[in-house]
Amino acid sequence: MKILAIETSCDETAMAFVEATGVLKHPRFKVLENIVSSQIKIHRPFGGVVPNLAKREHIKNLPKIFKTLVARRKSLAPDFITVTVGPGLEPALWAGIEFAKALHTNVQSANRKARIALIGANHMEGHLYSNWLSPVGIKSKAQIPNAKSFPAIALVVSGGHTILLKMGSLTKWKKLGETRDDAAGEAFDKVAKMMGLPYPGGPEIQKLAEKGNPNAIPFPRPMLKAAKPPKVLSGAKDYRFDYEFSFSGLKTSVLYYLRDNPKAKKADVAASFQQAVLDVLIGKTIRAAREFGAKSILLSGGVAANKALRESLAFSAKRLAISFFVPPFEYNTDNAVMIAVAAYIRLLAKKKPYQLTAQSNLNL
Ligand code: KG4
Ligand code: ZN
């Protein structure tokens, strides 16, 4: 099946053309085209993404990207078109959905004999399933999770989400926990802003952290040791508390530290903050992997681009003889290839299709 996918949930306008084959036990993907147009420069002066500006840029970029795609592939005959319907910024999501609807009408009338479907996709399923991708042009190989990888523990960390899942199979999972306040990526972005670094903060903190000492400042590791459920939950067999995340207190600690230590070495602050986030993410993921006898650990989402996180989690998994998977760098941050993958897997699983309306709070 050839899939044309569109992604506009935040500040990347992305389109991809992907060939998908294989059954649910072993889906395979060949990335034919992958175009991502970033709006970072436009939002940077505001220190974050401005939803209506994002929408305006998506509307401007989508036809241009489509034109490039058509120019590169003389024949663009998708079996279906898919578009992200959530979660994300509502105006930004609508830009993609409206474009996909119009495009679908055009493509369908140009190929009257074919029945081309238009289906909605979940951005978070996209991040989760980006683990099933290999770099452009290469068919999925051994580094891709397969039936033997389950049960798996999946950590999905992005600018808007921090989710820990226990996966029984490719399409069945239980959410163990998620963030109660800021997402991991959001914490990186906010701390970077406090330190006068540009948006998005994740890559900036990473760069600075490489020159600093991660043990210089003992920032808190929020909820890492929350082994006992709080009184209200006692007696309840509720794992959720154990695997919940919270990063807003850590962010405040950094704020106070910077206020009280104006001469602090910025690289040490960045390195110590990053280490605190990593300790929590890795600590909980490894604990879950041990508790549930996981055969593999999957890491995805924008924060998965963090080199220290990838390397430390890979190392911890190896020590436990658990397989570790993380998508190639280009599929960590937002892209449309992962949207094609999510739509294909959902189609194979015969799960209910998503409605073609913006669903900003859609989740896993
Ligand atoms: O998945 P994504 O592109 O968008 C959302 O769905 O949110 O994730 C973006 C987030 C931003 O918060 C960004 O700062 C973070 O991922 N990020 C990183 C790195 N690269 C991107 N965080 C830490 N280290 C990085 N190298
Ligand atoms: Zn994302």
Side-chain angles (χ1 to χ4, degrees):
M1 269 191 176
K2 294 227 170 68
I3 308 164
L4 180 63
I6 299 165
E7 152 67 38
T8 63
S9 68
C10 193
D11 60 344
E12 328 278 353
T13 319
M15 227 178 265
F17 197 48
V18 176
E19 189 179 63
T21 51
V23 290
L24 205 47
K25 274 217 166 104
H26 191 35
R28 266 170 295 180
F29 301 93
K30 189 174 171 194
V31 181
L32 304 173
E33 297 293 341
N34 173 27
I35 304 179
V36 180
S37 165
S38 171
Q39 305 176 3
I40 283 176
K41 279 199 191 122
I42 285 155
H43 298 283
R44 198 162 256 175
F46 303 93
V49 182
V50 184
N52 278 321
L53 256 184
K55 177 186 174 176
R56 192 190 76 188
E57 288 303 305
H58 287 314
I59 292 172
K60 210 163 77 187
N61 290 335
L62 282 164
K64 286 192 201 159
I65 295 180
F66 184 66
K67 229 173 132 185
T68 311
L69 209 63
V70 172
R72 281 194 200 165
R73 310 233 133 222
K74 293 287 174 288
S75 80
L76 196 72
D79 293 291
F80 71 86
I81 298 173
T82 180
V83 60
T84 304
V85 294
L89 305 168
E90 197 162 323
L93 289 165
W94 273 120
I97 296 169
E98 293 302 343
F99 182 84
K101 282 183 181 167
L103 183 65
H104 176 246
T105 309
N106 284 345
V107 174
Q108 182 64 82
S109 56
N111 301 275
R112 285 192 191 279
K113 281 194 203 125
R115 254 196 63 73
I116 300 159
L118 171 60
I119 55 179
N122 180 333
H123 183 86
M124 298 315 290
E125 288 177 13
H127 276 307
L128 177 64
Y129 290 140
S130 56
N131 277 289
W132 274 262
L133 285 167
S134 39
V136 177
I138 300 169
K139 269 210 177 147
S140 319
K141 284 222 187 78
Q143 76 271 31
I144 307 296
N146 57 40
K148 287 187 197 140
S149 311
F150 299 104
I153 295 295
L155 176 67
V156 190
V157 268
S158 69
H161 295 79
T162 304
I163 303 174
L164 197 63
L165 298 179
K166 177 176 72 153
M167 296 179 83
S169 70
L170 186 63
T171 53
K172 290 207 177 77
W173 58 74
K174 180 180 186 280
K175 194 187 285 174
L176 298 173
E178 62 190 317
T179 185
R180 295 180 166 197
D181 40 57
D182 292 349
E186 198 177 351
F188 270 97
D189 294 338
K190 287 179 175 168
V191 165
K193 200 172 179 177
M194 285 175 208
M195 296 174 66
L197 299 169
Y199 174 85
E204 300 291 330
I205 296 267
Q206 170 178 313
K207 235 190 292 168
L208 197 56
E210 278 161 14
K211 290 180 232 139
N213 172 7
N215 302 315
I217 309 150
F219 287 129
R221 269 68 174 155
M223 302 179 79
L224 186 55
K225 297 233 156 59
K228 258 206 234 156
K231 276 230 168 74
V232 279
L233 287 179
S234 72
K237 209 171 175 342
D238 193 332
Y239 289 118
R240 285 183 59 86
F241 182 76
D242 245 15
Y243 294 116
E244 297 284 287
F245 298 88
S246 162
F247 291 107
S248 121
L250 170 60
K251 174 192 69 190
T252 311
S253 299
V254 179
L255 181 72
Y256 290 158
Y257 187 86
L258 289 168
R259 184 195 63 188
D260 299 338
N261 302 275
K263 290 208 179 97
K265 203 175 144 203
K266 288 272 171 71
D268 284 348
V269 178
S272 301
F273 160 75
Q274 178 174 281
Q275 193 57 49
V277 176
L278 262 54
D279 281 356
V280 174
L281 293 176
I282 295 170
K284 293 201 182 221
T285 305
I286 292 295
R287 196 202 291 160
R290 295 176 75 150
E291 177 170 351
F292 298 108
K295 296 217 176 77
S296 63
I297 289 173
L298 315 180
L299 171 67
S300 61
V303 182
N306 187 280
K307 213 164 151 255
L309 174 61
R310 294 163 82 95
E311 285 172 1
S312 311
L313 192 51
F315 178 78
S316 306
K318 198 171 175 195
R319 256 197 344 204
L320 292 176
I322 297 174
S323 312
F324 174 71
F325 298 99
V326 64
F329 272 108
E330 64 262 44
Y331 304 129
N332 290 143
T333 45
D334 291 348
N335 63 86
V337 176
M338 67 182 198
I339 300 306
V341 174
Y344 182 71
I345 292 177
R346 202 170 170 90
L347 203 68
L348 287 186
K350 299 194 170 63
K351 285 194 181 177
K352 204 172 138 226
Y354 290 109
Q355 281 190 336
L356 286 165
T357 53
Q359 299 161 60
S360 50
N361 295 320
L362 201 63
N363 207 324
L364 280 172

